[in-house]
Amino acid sequence: MSDSLYQEIILDHYKHPHGRGLREPFGGEAHHVNPTCGDEITVRVAIDGSTITDVSYDGQGCSISQASASVLHELLTGTTVEDAFAVEKTFTELMQGRGQVEPDEDVLGDGIAFAGVAKYPARVKCALLSWMAFKDATARALTGAGQTSEEETR
Amino acid sequence: MSAPHSPLDVDRVRKDFPILERRLAGDHPLVYLDSANTSQKPTAVLDTLAEHYTRHNANVARAVHQLGEESTAAYEGARDKLAALIKAPSRDEIIFTKNASEALNLVAHTLASGLADDPHYRLGPGDEIVVTQMEHHSNIVPWQLAAKRTGAAFRWFGLTDDGRLDLSTIGELINERTKIVSLVHQSNSLGTVNDVATVVARAREVGALVLLDGSQSVPHQPIDVTALGVDLLAFTGHKMVGPTGIGVLWGRREVLDALPPFLGGGEMIETVDMTGSTFAPIPHKFEAGTPPIAQAIGLGAAVDYLTGVGLDRIHEHELGLTAYALDKLNAVDGVRIIGPNSMESRGGTVSFVVDGVHPHDVGQLLDEQGVAVRVGHHCARPVCVRYGIPATTRASFYLYTTFDEIDALADGLHQVKRFFG
């Protein structure tokens, strides 16, 4: 059952999330909600120089949205901002590729488990929710805009 | 738990709905439990649509040729059928709209427009609009907009813990300032059937109008607008085995006559002059432009189909299904019903949550077993907020739903629990 959508890796991250919980200090924060299903996530990003020293998050939602946040934390903590945006771009392309994009494990790590989600248009925004929030939080950290804002991911 | 007897020959009914024979990915038979979202369509309706376009297609009410007359007769014939369905005192009181949302917006917009001659039909500062916390967004947002435009206050009935309207404050909530009370007959998310009589009685005392959203009740039970005592009733065709793109607003003649026009255009006028226009009498006053002709005719065929089967029997069948479903769902560990957990004043729509599993995941895993349900807030987000949940899973039934399909839902939920356990 669920061969393409619910990969074991996704269920693992959902049941045992990595790095969950909001932490201090942080340079930028963003709160995103998916208005069609009520999934929500808050992401905080801490940056030192050009390095992302922490990505912390909290939220509620389906297994796809919550597992995706766990993978995001794992992939992007400790990388440079530039590399993080490159990973974010690759993940977004995979998700929006309607199942036609070959996932690159070197770049995406556990993120390749989400390749099957791309075939379910209704669930793509679940997978992208935390990544959108990450982008906003990082932009705020970089401009010193800092605090939270409400955004809807449509 | 054995399945109770149904007054319907459901196997025979199902033969009228070709889509129900579909097999889905993995060769699962379709188990369609999403009729509150949209119903499936019987062959009689599909054939009527094809027949109209194949043999009678022409615009209505403006052609003198034979096809135009046939098309007009069929369109106006559908109006007669809708009037008979809800026991409307006059066929002129049936306004065709594109859906229930447009019907609700028509009332909110015309009351807010300030164009009515009679001030009773003009919203303004000091007036109050009353809705309920269990409304579909289509019966909340138009009124919020109307309140914003006019300065009227927007108020609402809250909900009790068991999913019913909290009528304890009705005396204060509906008062001399109340211009209109707009409420749902049967909740699309909770399944609750509201106590319309109590609301109507209080509204009468203070002279407020009552608009009833019958989107989830007209398809499922016999309706008599005079017995209900409301002023206006909105419902939609696609939830009652009719096509999409067609809805109905019924209103008492006095009310519809007093409301100003909604959309302007062809067919809604009496005479047009560059210095001003006068308007057609109802129903055409509210039907600007070429209407959804085939859809109205298709809805007429849907009414014939439903009345042929018998709405009283459909209602009884659904009550049996609902009682069976409540028993089955309550027997699944970790499933909690959101809404009335008894058969008292409720219809065949059952929302629930599964402990520890998000509704999106529930819906996806059920879909993989061929079971189609709806997940989310069902366009009634304030209900989810009220009960402190992000979303629910909703199963909804109709005349073609079988007891076996409810067993399939319960079996599916056991699978969901094993998968996420």
Side-chain angles (χ1 to χ4, degrees), chain B residues 14 39 368:
Chain B
R14 287 176 72 85
S39 66
E368 290 181 8

Side-chain angles (χ1 to χ4, degrees), chain A residues 1-6 11 14-15 34-39 60-64 120 122-123 126, chain B residues 356-358 360-362 364-365 367-369 375-377 381 389-391 415-416 418-421:
Chain A
M1 182 158 80
S2 310
D3 286 344
S4 52
L5 186 64
Y6 293 106
L11 286 176
Y14 175 56
K15 291 174 182 171
N34 180 345
T36 60
C37 62
D39 286 359
Q60 57 168 7
C62 67
S63 58
I64 304 296
Y120 296 81
R123 305 302 295 277
C126 305
Chain B
V357 190
H358 191 276
H360 254 176
D361 294 322
V362 175
Q364 193 90 52
L365 286 171
D367 180 57
E368 290 181 8
Q369 299 164 67
V375 296
H377 51 47
R381 185 173 171 274
I389 47 177
Q415 293 241 37
V416 167
R418 271 197 295 278
F419 192 74
F420 279 97

Side-chain angles (χ1 to χ4, degrees), chain B residues 3-161:
Chain B
H5 174 73
S6 168
L8 291 185
D9 183 348
V10 180
D11 288 341
R12 206 174 133 192
V13 165
R14 287 176 72 85
K15 289 195 170 63
D16 295 331
F17 293 81
I19 202 170
L20 298 177
E21 290 162 23
R22 258 204 72 173
R23 297 190 82 81
L24 303 175
D27 202 32
H28 290 288
L30 168 64
V31 175
Y32 188 75
L33 300 178
D34 199 19
S35 290
N37 204 350
T38 196
S39 66
Q40 297 302 347
K41 323 300 176 197
T43 309
V45 169
L46 303 176
D47 288 351
T48 299
L49 288 170
E51 158 106 7
H52 170 75
Y53 280 125
T54 309
R55 294 188 49 82
H56 310 292
N57 182 54
N59 211 331
V60 292
R62 58 196 77 173
V64 294
H65 50 69
Q66 192 176 324
L67 293 185
E69 280 167 14
E70 288 170 5
S71 187
T72 303
Y75 179 71
E76 293 300 332
R79 198 186 307 277
D80 291 327
K81 292 172 186 182
L82 269 301
L85 176 75
I86 60 169
K87 300 193 166 49
S90 164
R91 67 181 306 281
D92 295 339
E93 296 172 343
I94 299 291
I95 313 294
F96 284 126
T97 61
K98 76 174 179 201
N99 50 31
S101 293
E102 188 183 79
L104 295 165
N105 274 274
L106 186 161
V107 180
H109 191 90
T110 52
L111 284 175
S113 72
L115 296 176
D117 293 332
D118 181 346
H120 189 61
Y121 296 93
R122 294 200 299 256
L123 283 169
D127 293 333
E128 295 182 3
I129 299 161
V130 176
V131 302
T132 84
Q133 202 176 358
M134 69 166 75
E135 298 308 312
H136 189 280
H137 294 164
S138 61
N139 201 25
I140 295 175
V141 181
W143 298 110
Q144 290 174 332
L145 293 171
K148 206 166 180 179
R149 279 176 76 188
T150 62
F154 174 78
R155 306 186 66 189
W156 61 90
F157 283 99
L159 306 181
T160 63
D161 288 344

Side-chain angles (χ1 to χ4, degrees), chain B residues 334-362:
Chain B
V335 167
R336 181 162 58 96
I337 306 290
I338 304 297
N341 199 359
S342 76
M343 284 308 294
E344 190 198 335
S345 300
R346 69 137 44 247
T349 290
V350 182
S351 270
F352 57 89
V353 290
V354 181
D355 266 357
V357 190
H358 191 276
H360 254 176
D361 294 322
V362 175

